Amino acid sequence: MSKSDTGGTSAQEDPEDELELLGWFHNGLSRHATEALLLSNGKDGSYLLRKSHEGPNCYALSVRAKDSVKHFQVTRSGTTYTFGFNEFRSIKEFVSHFANEPLLGSETGTIIVLKCPYPREVEEPSIYESVHVHTVMHSGRTENDLVANAASLGTKEGYLIKQGAIIKNWKTRWFTLNRNELKYFKDKMCAEPIRTLDLMECTGIQFDYSQEKVNCFCLVFPERTFYLCGKTGVETDEWIKILRWKLAQIKKSR
């Protein structure tokens, strides 16, 4: 009789079996729903594990970092989990790592503390609003006009070096990207942004080689072109990719 007949390899046949026992594993949660969930109901340092669309043995650890959500890849081979530079030989060893509140460092030098897992099961009240009036406005629309639409969150944050508008000097600013707004602040601790850029008005994003700066890119608006630099090529590439993706989504919705 084979091991599969006796159930000896059941964990390998269905990788989600042991993960389903993990209270903060959200099997069917998408990237968009994860960001909406953690930003609306989580707190700084909240995290969860979910399936990734990259492949059958790929997962994503999603972490709220202040006003954005960052996603990190976790892969599984048999019973071994690989996360960052670490390998964990069992799910127990993997979970024990998170009990010690690990620190994650990014290319920008930003440190994220994984503080508390976000549970899959949250107690909810069985309360519903009552309907006293139910009528229609006779708009003339049909079911074909009911097109589901929502802006993707696609969040990102980090320090970038920005060129001034009048005096062409360069200063480090804290940037946050949420929905279709790119905000920049004097530093990470400031509550009010210096300016908010509406990406609905942005006409292009591209690498720039005119400023004699490395890792430079620009955002083109009708009234001004903004020149920004990342600290590394990887960081610059990440910003350009997500900003271009945002513009593509905006174009689709028009």
Side-chain angles (χ1 to χ4, degrees):
M1 182 179 293
S2 67
K3 287 185 179 181
S4 59
D5 293 332
T6 61
T9 60
S10 59
Q12 292 183 359
E13 289 173 358
D14 187 355
E16 267 66 67
D17 274 0
E18 62 179 13
L19 285 175
E20 289 294 347
L21 300 177
L22 188 63
W24 43 279
F25 175 57
H26 298 244
N27 194 358
L29 206 61
S30 68
R31 183 185 180 115
H32 173 78
T34 297
E35 292 183 355
L37 183 67
L38 292 179
L39 287 173
S40 64
N41 207 36
K43 56 186 178 181
D44 190 28
S46 294
Y47 60 89
L48 59 85
L49 186 68
R50 61 183 177 84
K51 278 288 293 180
S52 169
H53 67 275
E54 297 293 331
N57 293 316
C58 294
Y59 304 86
L61 182 78
S62 301
V63 188
R64 176 169 175 175
K66 198 177 179 182
D67 295 323
S68 71
V69 176
K70 300 186 183 297
H71 307 274
F72 302 91
Q73 193 172 66
V74 177
T75 58
R76 172 175 173 161
S77 177
T79 59
T80 299
Y81 295 83
T82 302
F83 173 54
F85 296 106
N86 296 326
E87 281 193 354
F88 306 93
R89 293 169 294 179
S90 66
I91 186 66
K92 183 178 180 180
E93 191 176 302
F94 181 61
V95 173
S96 295
H97 176 70
F98 290 93
N100 292 308
E101 295 192 355
L103 304 176
L104 300 182
S106 68
E107 286 268 349
T108 63
T110 303
I111 299 297
I112 306 167
V113 183
L114 276 61
K115 297 178 182 177
C116 56
Y118 191 93
R120 182 171 64 247
E121 301 293 337
V122 177
E123 189 172 346
E124 300 174 346
S126 297
I127 300 172
Y128 299 90
E129 299 292 330
S130 58
V131 177
H132 293 286
V133 177
H134 189 176
T135 185
V136 294
M137 297 178 66
H138 297 289
S139 64
R141 298 196 306 166
T142 69
E143 64 273 15
N144 295 328
D145 298 310
L146 298 178
V147 180
N149 185 30
S152 177
L153 297 176
T155 59
K156 187 171 177 57
E157 62 181 12
Y159 281 106
L160 291 170
I161 304 168
K162 175 187 160 295
Q163 187 187 62
I166 301 173
I167 302 173
K168 303 297 183 182
N169 57 347
W170 296 82
K171 292 184 178 179
T172 300
R173 297 292 185 235
W174 178 256
F175 282 77
T176 65
L177 175 63
N178 198 330
R179 294 185 172 87
N180 293 326
E181 291 185 339
L182 180 65
K183 299 179 181 180
Y184 61 89
F185 304 75
K186 184 176 181 181
D187 58 49
K188 188 177 181 180
M189 303 309 295
C190 290
E192 294 298 322
I194 296 173
R195 185 167 181 173
T196 299
L197 302 178
D198 184 357
L199 293 179
M200 299 282 287
E201 300 173 1
C202 183
T203 59
I205 298 161
Q206 60 192 34
F207 284 100
D208 183 84
Y209 305 98
S210 66
Q211 301 301 310
E212 297 182 352
K213 283 271 190 181
V214 295
N215 307 320
C216 189
F217 64 101
C218 64
L219 280 71
V220 182
F221 287 82
E223 78 286 356
R224 178 182 167 190
T225 297
F226 291 83
Y227 294 95
L228 308 170
C229 294
K231 291 184 178 180
T232 67
V234 172
E235 180 187 356
T236 296
D237 192 51
E238 287 177 355
W239 275 103
I240 290 174
K241 281 181 179 178
I242 193 167
L243 287 167
R244 281 179 173 170
W245 183 81
K246 287 278 189 182
L247 290 194
Q249 296 301 307
I250 291 171
K251 187 176 181 180
K252 285 181 183 178
S253 66
R254 285 175 174 166

